[in-house]
Amino acid sequence: MATWSAPGKVFLFGEHAVVYDKPGLAMAIKPRVLVSVRRHRHPAPAKSPYIAQCFRELGVTGSVYVSSQMPSSAGLGSSAAVTVATLSAANDEFRLGLEREEIAGIAHRVEQAVQKGRASPTDTYVSTMGGLVLIMDGARRRVPPVNLNLVVGNTQVSHSTSRMVELVAEERAARPAVIYPILDAIGALTLEGVRKLEDPKTLGKLMDTNHALLDAIGVGHPALTKLVLAARAAGAFGAKTTGAGGGGCMIALSPKTGKNRIAGALDGAGGRAFVTSLDTVGARKEHDV
Ligand code: PMV
């Protein structure tokens, strides 16, 4: 049996704008998803379509045990983490000799197949490689790691990423003169954010601006606004929606001390909060569970 884990992710900047080839910055975060794979000729059918597709892609059969501390369907990349950890564990168990880059590529294909072509390579790449990843000019590259104190707030309002992407496409088609420059500005914020990673006060301000621009393109939600305002009032340097919006999660950038106060404020405002930080490792082998 082989056990591997893979982290989730948040967008620090640039969600939606990346769909239109503008820059974005994503970050691998704790918690992780753990997956054990055991060689098995006649395994029970996989419970998750992602896992079933992983085995189809690799042309092997095995039984799988998943342990996840990550909320699913919240925009934190849990399906990508399950996919990456499954592929990594199967690669190990069956000695397939796949490199990390190849696993990221196959993981993206798996998500594409399950999500009917609507999956960007961001989640699977970030989960495989870990760290901070700048998406730019059709490529993804890691930027030097920085220790950011983040608090994630889950509105627990369910949302559909593909619906939100569609909504932005409709807005953009209906009001190009308004929406095009906003998407450009979001891309510019990403690049400014990369330059200011070591300056949390400025970074927080940039996050606030990014949040306002996400609202402006129509992916806001009252529950997100409530959590973002609560985080700022509790001392966050800045706060924004992360991911597709319309529900799902927000992130707050916290001073070194004060993370728990912000998390408490988010819980008090009706969210479910957890403190997190950068995961620099990506997919990794674990002791068998
Ligand atoms: O909700 P999430 O975390 O899957 O983020 C979606 C991010 C978008 O930019 C809206 C879409 C994408 O594929 O990049």
Side-chain angles (χ1 to χ4, degrees):
M1 184 166 78
T3 301
W4 281 65
S5 69
K9 71 98 200 25
V10 290
F11 267 94
L12 282 179
F13 295 101
E15 48 276 269
H16 287 291
V18 293
V19 174
Y20 301 97
D21 298 324
K22 312 295 175 202
L25 184 65
M27 168 177 159
I29 57 158
K30 303 162 183 80
R32 304 184 142 252
V33 169
L34 265 83
V35 177
S36 301
V37 171
R38 187 195 293 276
R39 193 182 282 266
H40 200 301
R41 227 178 283 163
H42 303 291
K47 284 197 193 102
S48 143
Y50 294 93
I51 292 173
Q53 189 62 25
C54 286
F55 282 100
R56 267 197 290 278
E57 277 282 344
L58 298 178
V60 294
T61 56
S63 56
V64 174
Y65 174 77
V66 180
S67 154
S68 172
Q69 305 119 12
M70 205 191 303
S72 59
S73 306
L76 300 176
S78 70
S79 64
V82 166
T83 302
V84 168
T86 302
L87 290 172
S88 303
N91 181 41
D92 188 1
E93 173 75 355
F94 295 94
R95 308 207 189 293
L96 302 176
L98 296 168
E99 301 286 340
R100 233 169 229 272
E101 289 278 352
E102 293 175 280
I103 291 195
I106 299 170
H108 181 221
R109 280 214 302 275
V110 167
E111 285 221 314
Q112 290 269 36
V114 177
Q115 297 172 16
K116 307 200 170 23
R118 283 181 192 264
S120 87
T122 306
D123 288 19
T124 39
Y125 185 89
V126 173
S127 185
T128 310
M129 302 297 177
L132 281 166
V133 175
L134 177 63
I135 304 127
M136 197 172 153
D137 299 332
R140 287 160 297 282
R141 64 188 162 87
R142 293 197 4 151
V143 301
V146 178
N147 189 21
L148 299 173
N149 298 299
L150 286 189
V151 185
V152 177
N154 186 351
T155 60
Q156 302 178 84
V157 174
S158 70
H159 68 158
S160 146
T161 297
S162 57
R163 178 68 200 118
M164 299 318 289
V165 169
E166 219 171 275
L167 213 125
V168 173
E170 285 163 14
E171 262 311 287
R172 184 172 171 268
R175 273 168 287 285
V178 177
I179 303 297
Y180 278 53
I182 299 178
L183 295 170
D184 282 339
I186 294 177
L189 277 172
T190 294
L191 298 182
E192 187 62 8
V194 171
R195 282 190 285 271
K196 298 291 181 189
L197 280 171
E198 307 269 9
D199 172 358
K201 264 194 193 153
T202 307
L203 200 62
K205 258 196 206 153
L206 298 171
M207 287 167 66
D208 287 348
T209 309
N210 195 162
H211 178 77
L213 296 180
L214 285 168
D215 272 353
I217 59 172
V219 299
H221 188 280
L224 284 166
T225 306
K226 198 169 171 196
L227 296 192
V228 162
L229 294 178
R232 290 179 193 156
F237 288 125
K240 67 180 273 293
T241 294
T242 190
C249 290
M250 50 71 70
I251 50 171
L253 183 63
S254 169
K256 218 182 257 162
T257 57
K259 289 174 281 209
N260 291 335
R261 185 149 61 104
I262 293 170
L266 294 177
D267 285 336
R272 191 164 285 175
F274 64 91
V275 173
T276 189
S277 56
L278 178 67
D279 173 285
T280 53
V281 181
R284 90 171 164 221
K285 187 170 170 65
E286 302 282 344
H287 295 299
D288 292 338
V289 286

